């Protein structure tokens, strides 16, 4: 296995970093199609729509399609930042490695913590949903209300997907492809049934709702700026996950180019899926507040579950299967970037060396994968036992972690390339203007979300007069500062913080 030395952090600024030493991962096994598939899978698009569409409609009504596009814009700008940084420094540590090169060791460590934290917390959510949806397919679905059974099932799902990732990237790709087929074939059947219903005038509402270009009119939407901001925040975070493409860059063909292209392509495909499905569902069910209307509070938590029997009749279980496949798919692909992020941190000295070990036969980050899976299980079970409401609120705080590390990546892109921005219009736009706009937007999203979460009425719990989602988010982010402080003085990691970081040998 290769070894090598990298320069200390602190903003090279003018020139790309050069080749990143290999870590022992299975190089070149993924192509552009695999990269795009992983990017799409990580976002769990079917589940994201099912769980979020009704909430956006409740705030923005007919302007929901426009809001989905507005939420996409900052994400696209950050995708360009990921692409540019990956082109210069294709390291599987992504935000950790790039922030360290731009701003130094502390920024890098906290960026890596943000990635890992978002992954572990969202795995608890995915496990919960996967457990519920599996038992919705059994009998009359009443088993989905058994909290102990759902929690145990979620733990099994996390353990199984951890094993899949541990055994090798090719096995994971095969599992991912099968889940993708199930997910999109089922969603396709659902969409066709909706189109037939619209054409026949037999939608879920009293009458179907015809398409109207007014739904994309910014002037109409911004008549209520507060609603636009609220809806865009909801829409913004359903795009999260495409950066998995970059986390597997060292296992992808042409690692400096293909992962970045995969990220941008998957981002565009996502917005196409979200907007087109939202339009179909709106036209079929309307945004009304009664019956099957998307504005009905009884439908907001899962619009697909509310519509499945009306749209598909006895085949309604297909859309349940689609959501289940979506969640399982995202469970597997969420473990990928978290494990590779801590692998990179171990290799570059930010975590103890064991995190940097790659399994010699499977060519996967064996120890890091096991730790991420175990951390997700412990967190999920502990929070479920402590309080399901607190679990729900802690999951809501994921938006803070995502906004944090996405914004950090955008700022890192601008600062790292600051010396080459004047060399061409392309560099100015893709390495500065767009990443900076994306970073500023996400910074604003971070603080707006934090203010909203402060309100005890935001979620299901209240801690010392403050919303549980806010407390959970702040405590978990602060824990990263504490752990970084501990690593600052550990013999195995203090060289990283003192700028004497080296790449360790991998067995």
């Amino acid at each position: 296995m290769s070894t090598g030395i990298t320069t200390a952090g602190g903003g090279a600024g003018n020139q790309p970093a050069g080749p990143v030493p290999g870590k022992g991962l299975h190089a070149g096994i993924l192509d552009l199609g695999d990269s795009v598939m992983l990017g799409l899978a990580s976002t769990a698009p079917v589940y994201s729509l099912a769980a979020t569409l009704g909430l956006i409609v409740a705030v923005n009504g007919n302007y929901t399609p426009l809001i989905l596009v507005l939420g996409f814009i900052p994400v696209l700008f950050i995708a360009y930042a990921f692409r540019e940084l990956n082109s210069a420094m294709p390291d599987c540590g992504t935000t950790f490695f790039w922030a360290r090169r731009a701003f130094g060791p502390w920024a890098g460590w906290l960026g890596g913590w943000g990635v890992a934290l978002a992954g572990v917390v969202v795995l608890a959510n995915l496990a919960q949903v996967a457990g519920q949806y599996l038992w919705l397919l059994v009998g009359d679905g009443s088993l989905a209300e058994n909290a102990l059974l759902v929690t145990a099932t979620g733990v099994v799902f996390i353990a199984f997907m951890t094993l899949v990732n541990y055994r090798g990237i090719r096995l994971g790709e095969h599992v991912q492809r099968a889940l993708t087929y199930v997910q999109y074939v089922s969603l396709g059947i659902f969409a066709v049934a909706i189109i037939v219903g619209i054409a026949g005038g037999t939608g879920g509402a009293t009458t179907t709702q015809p398409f109207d270009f007014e739904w994309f009119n910014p002037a109409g939407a911004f008549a209520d700026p507060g609603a636009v901001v609220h809806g865009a925040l909801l829409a913004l975070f359903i795009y999260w996950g495409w950066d998995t493409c970059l986390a597997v860059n060292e296992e992808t063909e042409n690692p400096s180019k293909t992962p970045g292209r995969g990220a941008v392509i998957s981002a565009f495909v996502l917005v196409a899926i979200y907007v087109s499905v939202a339009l179909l569902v709106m036209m079929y069910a309307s945004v009304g507040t009664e019956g099957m209307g998307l504005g009905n509070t009884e439908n907001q938590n899962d619009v697909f579950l509310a519509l499945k029997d009306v749209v598909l009749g006895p085949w309604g279980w297909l859309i349940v299967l689609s959501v289940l496949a979506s969640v399982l798919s995202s469970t597997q692909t969420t473990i990928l970037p978290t494990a590779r992020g801590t692998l990179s941190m171990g290799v570059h000295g930010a975590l103890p060396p064991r995190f940097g070990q790659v399994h010699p036969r499977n060519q996967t980050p064996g120890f890091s994968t096991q730790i991420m899976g175990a951390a997700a299980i412990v967190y999920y079970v502990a929070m479920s036992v402590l309080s399901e409401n607190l679990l729900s609120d802690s999951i809501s705080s994921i938006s803070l972690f995502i906004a944090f590390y996405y914004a950090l990546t955008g700022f890192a892109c601008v600062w790292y390339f600051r010396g080459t921005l004047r060399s061409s219009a392309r560099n100015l736009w893709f390495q500065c203007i767009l990443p900076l706009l994306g970073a500023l937007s996400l910074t604003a999203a971070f603080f707006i979300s934090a203010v909203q979460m402060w309100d005890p009425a935001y979620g299901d719990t209240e801690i010392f007069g403050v919303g549980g989602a806010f407390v959970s988010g702040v405590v978990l982010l602060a824990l990263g500062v504490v752990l970084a402080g501990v690593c600052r003085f550990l013999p195995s990691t203090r060289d990283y913080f003192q700028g004497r970081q080296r790449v360790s040998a991998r067995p």
Side-chain angles (χ1 to χ4, degrees), residues 43 48 52 56 60 64 66-78 228-243 270 274 398-400 402-404 406-407 437-449:
T43 61
S48 296
T52 310
I56 298 176
N60 299 100
T64 293
L66 174 64
I67 297 302
L68 289 171
V69 174
L70 292 177
F72 166 71
I73 292 173
V75 172
L76 177 63
F77 291 169
I78 293 300
V228 172
V229 171
H230 187 183
L233 286 173
L234 288 170
L236 178 64
F237 298 109
I238 66 175
Y239 291 101
W240 172 60
W242 49 263
D243 47 308
L270 279 171
Y274 286 152
I398 291 173
S399 60
L400 298 179
I402 300 168
F404 168 71
Y406 271 10
L437 289 174
L440 290 174
S441 298
L442 285 159
T443 301
F446 178 93
F447 287 106
I448 292 172
S449 295

Short mmCIF file of all heavy atoms in Angstrom, two decimals, residues 43 48 52 56 60 64 66-78 228-243 270 274 398-400 402-404 406-407 437-449:
data_model
loop_
_atom_site.label_atom_id
_atom_site.label_comp_id
_atom_site.label_asym_id
_atom_site.label_seq_id
_atom_site.Cartn_x
_atom_site.Cartn_y
_atom_site.Cartn_z
N THR A 43 -30.15 10.80 -1.38
CA THR A 43 -31.16 11.79 -1.02
C THR A 43 -32.50 11.17 -0.66
O THR A 43 -33.39 11.86 -0.16
CB THR A 43 -31.39 12.78 -2.18
OG1 THR A 43 -31.87 12.05 -3.32
CG2 THR A 43 -30.12 13.50 -2.56
N SER A 48 -38.27 11.55 0.58
CA SER A 48 -38.19 12.99 0.81
C SER A 48 -39.44 13.69 0.32
O SER A 48 -39.98 14.58 0.99
CB SER A 48 -36.95 13.56 0.11
OG SER A 48 -35.76 13.04 0.67
N THR A 52 -42.19 15.54 2.78
CA THR A 52 -41.99 16.99 2.78
C THR A 52 -42.99 17.74 1.91
O THR A 52 -43.30 18.91 2.19
CB THR A 52 -40.56 17.32 2.30
OG1 THR A 52 -39.62 16.54 3.03
CG2 THR A 52 -40.24 18.79 2.50
N ILE A 56 -44.62 21.62 2.53
CA ILE A 56 -44.37 22.79 1.67
C ILE A 56 -45.68 23.35 1.13
O ILE A 56 -45.88 24.57 1.08
CB ILE A 56 -43.41 22.41 0.53
CG1 ILE A 56 -42.07 21.95 1.09
CG2 ILE A 56 -43.20 23.60 -0.41
CD1 ILE A 56 -41.10 21.46 0.02
N ASN A 60 -46.93 27.12 1.16
CA ASN A 60 -46.83 27.85 -0.11
C ASN A 60 -47.93 27.55 -1.11
O ASN A 60 -47.97 28.17 -2.19
CB ASN A 60 -45.46 27.60 -0.75
CG ASN A 60 -44.32 28.07 0.11
OD1 ASN A 60 -43.69 27.28 0.80
ND2 ASN A 60 -44.06 29.37 0.10
N THR A 64 -45.76 25.75 -4.71
CA THR A 64 -44.83 24.69 -4.29
C THR A 64 -43.80 24.33 -5.36
O THR A 64 -42.60 24.18 -5.05
CB THR A 64 -45.62 23.44 -3.86
OG1 THR A 64 -46.34 23.75 -2.66
CG2 THR A 64 -44.70 22.25 -3.61
N LEU A 66 -42.40 26.16 -7.64
CA LEU A 66 -41.41 27.23 -7.66
C LEU A 66 -40.51 27.14 -6.43
O LEU A 66 -39.29 27.33 -6.53
CB LEU A 66 -42.10 28.59 -7.71
CG LEU A 66 -41.18 29.82 -7.58
CD1 LEU A 66 -40.24 29.89 -8.78
CD2 LEU A 66 -41.99 31.10 -7.45
N ILE A 67 -41.09 26.84 -5.29
CA ILE A 67 -40.31 26.74 -4.05
C ILE A 67 -39.29 25.60 -4.16
O ILE A 67 -38.15 25.72 -3.68
CB ILE A 67 -41.24 26.51 -2.85
CG1 ILE A 67 -42.18 27.71 -2.68
CG2 ILE A 67 -40.44 26.28 -1.58
CD1 ILE A 67 -41.47 29.05 -2.49
N LEU A 68 -39.67 24.50 -4.80
CA LEU A 68 -38.74 23.38 -4.98
C LEU A 68 -37.55 23.81 -5.84
O LEU A 68 -36.41 23.38 -5.62
CB LEU A 68 -39.46 22.21 -5.63
CG LEU A 68 -40.47 21.47 -4.74
CD1 LEU A 68 -41.26 20.47 -5.56
CD2 LEU A 68 -39.77 20.78 -3.58
N VAL A 69 -37.80 24.67 -6.82
CA VAL A 69 -36.71 25.18 -7.67
C VAL A 69 -35.84 26.16 -6.88
O VAL A 69 -34.60 26.10 -6.95
CB VAL A 69 -37.28 25.89 -8.92
CG1 VAL A 69 -36.16 26.53 -9.72
CG2 VAL A 69 -38.04 24.89 -9.79
N LEU A 70 -36.45 27.04 -6.09
CA LEU A 70 -35.69 28.00 -5.30
C LEU A 70 -34.80 27.31 -4.27
O LEU A 70 -33.66 27.72 -4.04
CB LEU A 70 -36.64 28.97 -4.59
CG LEU A 70 -37.42 29.95 -5.49
CD1 LEU A 70 -38.37 30.80 -4.65
CD2 LEU A 70 -36.48 30.83 -6.29
N GLY A 71 -35.31 26.24 -3.66
CA GLY A 71 -34.51 25.48 -2.71
C GLY A 71 -33.33 24.79 -3.35
O GLY A 71 -32.31 24.53 -2.71
N PHE A 72 -33.47 24.51 -4.65
CA PHE A 72 -32.42 23.82 -5.39
C PHE A 72 -31.23 24.73 -5.71
O PHE A 72 -30.09 24.27 -5.79
CB PHE A 72 -33.02 23.27 -6.69
CG PHE A 72 -32.02 22.82 -7.71
CD1 PHE A 72 -31.27 21.67 -7.52
CD2 PHE A 72 -31.82 23.55 -8.88
CE1 PHE A 72 -30.36 21.24 -8.46
CE2 PHE A 72 -30.91 23.13 -9.83
CZ PHE A 72 -30.18 21.97 -9.62
N ILE A 73 -31.46 26.02 -5.87
CA ILE A 73 -30.42 26.93 -6.37
C ILE A 73 -29.18 26.97 -5.47
O ILE A 73 -28.05 26.79 -5.96
CB ILE A 73 -31.01 28.34 -6.59
CG1 ILE A 73 -32.01 28.29 -7.75
CG2 ILE A 73 -29.91 29.35 -6.89
CD1 ILE A 73 -32.79 29.57 -7.96
N PRO A 74 -29.30 27.19 -4.14
CA PRO A 74 -28.09 27.18 -3.30
C PRO A 74 -27.37 25.83 -3.32
O PRO A 74 -26.14 25.77 -3.26
CB PRO A 74 -28.62 27.49 -1.90
CG PRO A 74 -29.97 28.02 -2.08
CD PRO A 74 -30.50 27.46 -3.35
N VAL A 75 -28.15 24.75 -3.41
CA VAL A 75 -27.56 23.41 -3.45
C VAL A 75 -26.73 23.25 -4.71
O VAL A 75 -25.62 22.69 -4.69
CB VAL A 75 -28.66 22.33 -3.37
CG1 VAL A 75 -28.08 20.95 -3.61
CG2 VAL A 75 -29.36 22.39 -2.03
N LEU A 76 -27.25 23.73 -5.84
CA LEU A 76 -26.50 23.65 -7.09
C LEU A 76 -25.20 24.44 -6.99
O LEU A 76 -24.14 23.97 -7.43
CB LEU A 76 -27.35 24.19 -8.24
CG LEU A 76 -26.66 24.26 -9.61
CD1 LEU A 76 -26.29 22.86 -10.09
CD2 LEU A 76 -27.56 24.95 -10.63
N PHE A 77 -25.26 25.62 -6.39
CA PHE A 77 -24.05 26.44 -6.26
C PHE A 77 -23.00 25.73 -5.41
O PHE A 77 -21.80 25.77 -5.71
CB PHE A 77 -24.40 27.79 -5.63
CG PHE A 77 -25.23 28.68 -6.52
CD1 PHE A 77 -25.81 29.84 -6.02
CD2 PHE A 77 -25.44 28.37 -7.86
CE1 PHE A 77 -26.57 30.67 -6.83
CE2 PHE A 77 -26.20 29.19 -8.69
CZ PHE A 77 -26.77 30.34 -8.17
N ILE A 78 -23.44 25.05 -4.36
CA ILE A 78 -22.50 24.30 -3.52
C ILE A 78 -21.98 23.07 -4.26
O ILE A 78 -20.83 22.65 -4.07
CB ILE A 78 -23.15 23.92 -2.19
CG1 ILE A 78 -23.44 25.16 -1.36
CG2 ILE A 78 -22.27 22.95 -1.40
CD1 ILE A 78 -22.21 25.98 -1.01
N VAL A 228 -42.16 32.16 1.56
CA VAL A 228 -41.15 31.71 0.61
C VAL A 228 -39.91 31.21 1.34
O VAL A 228 -39.35 30.15 1.02
CB VAL A 228 -40.78 32.84 -0.37
CG1 VAL A 228 -39.58 32.43 -1.23
CG2 VAL A 228 -41.96 33.19 -1.26
N VAL A 229 -39.47 31.98 2.33
CA VAL A 229 -38.28 31.58 3.10
C VAL A 229 -38.53 30.26 3.83
O VAL A 229 -37.69 29.34 3.79
CB VAL A 229 -37.90 32.68 4.11
CG1 VAL A 229 -36.80 32.19 5.05
CG2 VAL A 229 -37.44 33.94 3.38
N HIS A 230 -39.69 30.15 4.47
CA HIS A 230 -40.03 28.92 5.20
C HIS A 230 -40.07 27.73 4.25
O HIS A 230 -39.48 26.67 4.52
CB HIS A 230 -41.38 29.11 5.90
CG HIS A 230 -41.75 27.98 6.81
ND1 HIS A 230 -42.94 27.93 7.49
CD2 HIS A 230 -41.09 26.85 7.16
CE1 HIS A 230 -42.99 26.83 8.22
NE2 HIS A 230 -41.88 26.15 8.03
N GLY A 231 -40.76 27.88 3.13
CA GLY A 231 -40.87 26.78 2.16
C GLY A 231 -39.54 26.43 1.55
O GLY A 231 -39.22 25.25 1.37
N ALA A 232 -38.72 27.46 1.24
CA ALA A 232 -37.41 27.19 0.63
C ALA A 232 -36.50 26.44 1.60
O ALA A 232 -35.71 25.58 1.18
CB ALA A 232 -36.76 28.50 0.21
N LEU A 233 -36.61 26.74 2.90
CA LEU A 233 -35.82 26.00 3.89
C LEU A 233 -36.22 24.52 3.92
O LEU A 233 -35.38 23.63 4.02
CB LEU A 233 -35.99 26.61 5.28
CG LEU A 233 -35.27 27.95 5.52
CD1 LEU A 233 -35.67 28.52 6.87
CD2 LEU A 233 -33.76 27.75 5.45
N LEU A 234 -37.52 24.28 3.85
CA LEU A 234 -37.99 22.89 3.80
C LEU A 234 -37.49 22.20 2.55
O LEU A 234 -37.04 21.04 2.59
CB LEU A 234 -39.53 22.86 3.83
CG LEU A 234 -40.22 23.22 5.14
CD1 LEU A 234 -41.72 23.36 4.92
CD2 LEU A 234 -39.94 22.14 6.20
N ALA A 235 -37.54 22.92 1.42
CA ALA A 235 -37.13 22.33 0.14
C ALA A 235 -35.62 22.14 0.07
O ALA A 235 -35.13 21.17 -0.52
CB ALA A 235 -37.60 23.21 -1.01
N LEU A 236 -34.89 23.06 0.68
CA LEU A 236 -33.44 23.05 0.58
C LEU A 236 -32.83 21.73 1.01
O LEU A 236 -31.96 21.16 0.34
CB LEU A 236 -32.88 24.20 1.44
CG LEU A 236 -31.37 24.36 1.54
CD1 LEU A 236 -30.79 24.71 0.18
CD2 LEU A 236 -31.04 25.45 2.56
N PHE A 237 -33.32 21.20 2.11
CA PHE A 237 -32.65 20.06 2.72
C PHE A 237 -33.12 18.70 2.17
O PHE A 237 -32.55 17.67 2.52
CB PHE A 237 -32.79 20.13 4.24
CG PHE A 237 -32.14 21.37 4.80
CD1 PHE A 237 -32.89 22.41 5.30
CD2 PHE A 237 -30.77 21.51 4.77
CE1 PHE A 237 -32.30 23.56 5.79
CE2 PHE A 237 -30.16 22.66 5.25
CZ PHE A 237 -30.92 23.68 5.76
N ILE A 238 -34.13 18.70 1.31
CA ILE A 238 -34.49 17.42 0.69
C ILE A 238 -33.54 17.09 -0.45
O ILE A 238 -33.57 15.99 -0.98
CB ILE A 238 -35.95 17.40 0.18
CG1 ILE A 238 -36.16 18.39 -0.96
CG2 ILE A 238 -36.92 17.65 1.32
CD1 ILE A 238 -37.55 18.32 -1.57
N TYR A 239 -32.66 18.05 -0.80
CA TYR A 239 -31.65 17.78 -1.84
C TYR A 239 -30.36 17.22 -1.24
O TYR A 239 -29.47 16.81 -1.97
CB TYR A 239 -31.33 19.07 -2.61
CG TYR A 239 -32.47 19.56 -3.47
CD1 TYR A 239 -33.29 20.60 -3.06
CD2 TYR A 239 -32.73 18.97 -4.70
CE1 TYR A 239 -34.33 21.04 -3.84
CE2 TYR A 239 -33.77 19.42 -5.49
CZ TYR A 239 -34.57 20.45 -5.06
OH TYR A 239 -35.61 20.88 -5.85
N TRP A 240 -30.25 17.23 0.08
CA TRP A 240 -29.01 16.79 0.71
C TRP A 240 -28.73 15.32 0.41
O TRP A 240 -29.62 14.49 0.48
CB TRP A 240 -29.11 16.98 2.23
CG TRP A 240 -27.96 16.38 2.97
CD1 TRP A 240 -26.64 16.69 2.83
CD2 TRP A 240 -28.01 15.35 3.96
NE1 TRP A 240 -25.87 15.93 3.69
CE2 TRP A 240 -26.69 15.10 4.38
CE3 TRP A 240 -29.05 14.63 4.53
CZ2 TRP A 240 -26.38 14.14 5.35
CZ3 TRP A 240 -28.75 13.68 5.49
CH2 TRP A 240 -27.43 13.45 5.90
N GLY A 241 -27.48 15.01 0.12
CA GLY A 241 -27.08 13.62 -0.08
C GLY A 241 -26.30 13.38 -1.35
O GLY A 241 -25.54 12.40 -1.45
N TRP A 242 -26.46 14.26 -2.35
CA TRP A 242 -25.76 14.03 -3.63
C TRP A 242 -24.24 14.03 -3.45
O TRP A 242 -23.51 13.50 -4.29
CB TRP A 242 -26.15 15.12 -4.64
CG TRP A 242 -26.06 16.51 -4.07
CD1 TRP A 242 -27.08 17.24 -3.55
CD2 TRP A 242 -24.87 17.29 -3.92
NE1 TRP A 242 -26.59 18.44 -3.08
CE2 TRP A 242 -25.25 18.50 -3.30
CE3 TRP A 242 -23.54 17.10 -4.25
CZ2 TRP A 242 -24.34 19.50 -3.00
CZ3 TRP A 242 -22.62 18.08 -3.94
CH2 TRP A 242 -23.02 19.28 -3.32
N ASP A 243 -23.73 14.62 -2.35
CA ASP A 243 -22.28 14.69 -2.16
C ASP A 243 -21.66 13.34 -1.86
O ASP A 243 -20.42 13.23 -1.77
CB ASP A 243 -21.92 15.69 -1.07
CG ASP A 243 -22.76 15.54 0.19
OD1 ASP A 243 -23.99 15.52 0.08
OD2 ASP A 243 -22.18 15.44 1.28
N LEU A 270 -32.42 15.37 -9.62
CA LEU A 270 -33.26 15.48 -8.42
C LEU A 270 -34.32 16.56 -8.57
O LEU A 270 -35.49 16.34 -8.26
CB LEU A 270 -32.40 15.77 -7.19
CG LEU A 270 -31.71 14.57 -6.55
CD1 LEU A 270 -30.73 15.04 -5.50
CD2 LEU A 270 -32.73 13.62 -5.94
N TYR A 274 -38.32 15.98 -8.38
CA TYR A 274 -39.15 16.64 -7.37
C TYR A 274 -40.23 17.52 -8.00
O TYR A 274 -41.40 17.46 -7.60
CB TYR A 274 -38.26 17.50 -6.46
CG TYR A 274 -37.43 16.71 -5.49
CD1 TYR A 274 -36.22 17.19 -5.02
CD2 TYR A 274 -37.84 15.47 -5.02
CE1 TYR A 274 -35.44 16.48 -4.11
CE2 TYR A 274 -37.08 14.74 -4.12
CZ TYR A 274 -35.88 15.25 -3.67
OH TYR A 274 -35.11 14.54 -2.78
N ILE A 398 -30.94 18.16 11.98
CA ILE A 398 -30.00 17.80 10.91
C ILE A 398 -29.76 18.97 9.97
O ILE A 398 -28.67 19.14 9.43
CB ILE A 398 -30.52 16.58 10.12
CG1 ILE A 398 -30.49 15.32 10.99
CG2 ILE A 398 -29.71 16.34 8.86
CD1 ILE A 398 -31.13 14.12 10.34
N SER A 399 -30.79 19.80 9.77
CA SER A 399 -30.64 20.93 8.85
C SER A 399 -29.49 21.84 9.28
O SER A 399 -28.81 22.43 8.43
CB SER A 399 -31.94 21.73 8.77
OG SER A 399 -32.32 22.24 10.03
N LEU A 400 -29.24 21.95 10.58
CA LEU A 400 -28.13 22.77 11.06
C LEU A 400 -26.79 22.17 10.65
O LEU A 400 -25.88 22.88 10.21
CB LEU A 400 -28.19 22.90 12.58
CG LEU A 400 -29.42 23.59 13.19
CD1 LEU A 400 -29.32 23.61 14.70
CD2 LEU A 400 -29.59 24.99 12.63
N ILE A 402 -26.17 20.09 8.14
CA ILE A 402 -26.01 20.15 6.69
C ILE A 402 -25.62 21.55 6.25
O ILE A 402 -24.67 21.74 5.46
CB ILE A 402 -27.31 19.72 5.98
CG1 ILE A 402 -27.68 18.29 6.36
CG2 ILE A 402 -27.17 19.85 4.47
CD1 ILE A 402 -29.10 17.90 5.95
N ALA A 403 -26.36 22.55 6.75
CA ALA A 403 -26.05 23.93 6.38
C ALA A 403 -24.63 24.29 6.80
O ALA A 403 -23.92 25.00 6.07
CB ALA A 403 -27.05 24.88 7.04
N PHE A 404 -24.19 23.80 7.95
CA PHE A 404 -22.85 24.10 8.45
C PHE A 404 -21.77 23.59 7.50
O PHE A 404 -20.90 24.34 7.06
CB PHE A 404 -22.67 23.51 9.85
CG PHE A 404 -21.24 23.52 10.33
CD1 PHE A 404 -20.64 24.72 10.69
CD2 PHE A 404 -20.50 22.34 10.41
CE1 PHE A 404 -19.31 24.73 11.13
CE2 PHE A 404 -19.19 22.35 10.84
CZ PHE A 404 -18.59 23.55 11.20
N TYR A 406 -22.01 22.33 4.39
CA TYR A 406 -22.14 22.80 3.01
C TYR A 406 -21.60 24.23 2.89
O TYR A 406 -20.88 24.56 1.94
CB TYR A 406 -23.61 22.77 2.58
CG TYR A 406 -24.06 21.45 1.96
CD1 TYR A 406 -23.26 20.32 1.98
CD2 TYR A 406 -25.31 21.35 1.36
CE1 TYR A 406 -23.69 19.13 1.42
CE2 TYR A 406 -25.75 20.16 0.79
CZ TYR A 406 -24.94 19.05 0.83
OH TYR A 406 -25.38 17.87 0.26
N ALA A 407 -21.98 25.10 3.83
CA ALA A 407 -21.50 26.48 3.79
C ALA A 407 -19.98 26.53 3.94
O ALA A 407 -19.29 27.29 3.24
CB ALA A 407 -22.17 27.31 4.88
N LEU A 437 -22.19 32.61 -3.17
CA LEU A 437 -23.64 32.80 -3.03
C LEU A 437 -24.28 31.61 -2.33
O LEU A 437 -25.16 31.77 -1.47
CB LEU A 437 -24.28 33.01 -4.41
CG LEU A 437 -23.97 34.34 -5.10
CD1 LEU A 437 -24.55 34.35 -6.51
CD2 LEU A 437 -24.54 35.51 -4.29
N GLY A 438 -23.86 30.40 -2.70
CA GLY A 438 -24.38 29.21 -2.04
C GLY A 438 -24.03 29.18 -0.57
O GLY A 438 -24.87 28.87 0.29
N ALA A 439 -22.78 29.53 -0.23
CA ALA A 439 -22.34 29.51 1.16
C ALA A 439 -23.09 30.55 1.99
O ALA A 439 -23.50 30.29 3.13
CB ALA A 439 -20.83 29.75 1.24
N LEU A 440 -23.26 31.75 1.43
CA LEU A 440 -23.99 32.79 2.15
C LEU A 440 -25.45 32.40 2.36
O LEU A 440 -26.02 32.64 3.44
CB LEU A 440 -23.90 34.11 1.38
CG LEU A 440 -22.51 34.77 1.35
CD1 LEU A 440 -22.52 35.99 0.42
CD2 LEU A 440 -22.06 35.18 2.74
N SER A 441 -26.05 31.79 1.34
CA SER A 441 -27.44 31.35 1.46
C SER A 441 -27.59 30.30 2.55
O SER A 441 -28.54 30.34 3.35
CB SER A 441 -27.94 30.78 0.13
OG SER A 441 -27.91 31.75 -0.90
N LEU A 442 -26.65 29.38 2.60
CA LEU A 442 -26.73 28.32 3.60
C LEU A 442 -26.38 28.82 4.99
O LEU A 442 -26.90 28.30 5.99
CB LEU A 442 -25.81 27.16 3.18
CG LEU A 442 -26.40 26.34 2.03
CD1 LEU A 442 -25.30 25.57 1.30
CD2 LEU A 442 -27.46 25.39 2.54
N THR A 443 -25.52 29.81 5.07
CA THR A 443 -25.26 30.44 6.37
C THR A 443 -26.52 31.10 6.89
O THR A 443 -26.87 30.98 8.08
CB THR A 443 -24.13 31.48 6.25
OG1 THR A 443 -22.94 30.83 5.78
CG2 THR A 443 -23.85 32.13 7.60
N ALA A 444 -27.22 31.80 5.99
CA ALA A 444 -28.50 32.40 6.38
C ALA A 444 -29.50 31.33 6.79
O ALA A 444 -30.23 31.48 7.78
CB ALA A 444 -29.05 33.23 5.22
N ALA A 445 -29.52 30.22 6.03
CA ALA A 445 -30.43 29.11 6.36
C ALA A 445 -30.11 28.54 7.74
O ALA A 445 -31.02 28.17 8.49
CB ALA A 445 -30.32 28.02 5.30
N PHE A 446 -28.82 28.45 8.07
CA PHE A 446 -28.40 27.94 9.38
C PHE A 446 -29.00 28.79 10.49
O PHE A 446 -29.61 28.28 11.44
CB PHE A 446 -26.87 27.95 9.47
CG PHE A 446 -26.33 27.48 10.79
CD1 PHE A 446 -25.98 26.15 10.99
CD2 PHE A 446 -26.17 28.37 11.85
CE1 PHE A 446 -25.48 25.72 12.22
CE2 PHE A 446 -25.68 27.95 13.08
CZ PHE A 446 -25.33 26.62 13.26
N PHE A 447 -28.86 30.11 10.39
CA PHE A 447 -29.32 30.98 11.47
C PHE A 447 -30.84 31.10 11.50
O PHE A 447 -31.44 31.15 12.58
CB PHE A 447 -28.66 32.36 11.35
CG PHE A 447 -27.21 32.37 11.73
CD1 PHE A 447 -26.22 32.46 10.78
CD2 PHE A 447 -26.85 32.24 13.06
CE1 PHE A 447 -24.88 32.45 11.14
CE2 PHE A 447 -25.50 32.23 13.44
CZ PHE A 447 -24.52 32.33 12.48
N ILE A 448 -31.47 31.12 10.33
CA ILE A 448 -32.93 31.17 10.30
C ILE A 448 -33.51 29.89 10.92
O ILE A 448 -34.46 29.93 11.71
CB ILE A 448 -33.44 31.35 8.86
CG1 ILE A 448 -33.07 32.74 8.34
CG2 ILE A 448 -34.96 31.18 8.80
CD1 ILE A 448 -33.36 32.94 6.86
N SER A 449 -32.93 28.75 10.56
CA SER A 449 -33.38 27.47 11.13
C SER A 449 -33.17 27.44 12.63
O SER A 449 -34.02 26.97 13.39
CB SER A 449 -32.63 26.30 10.47
OG SER A 449 -32.94 26.19 9.11
#
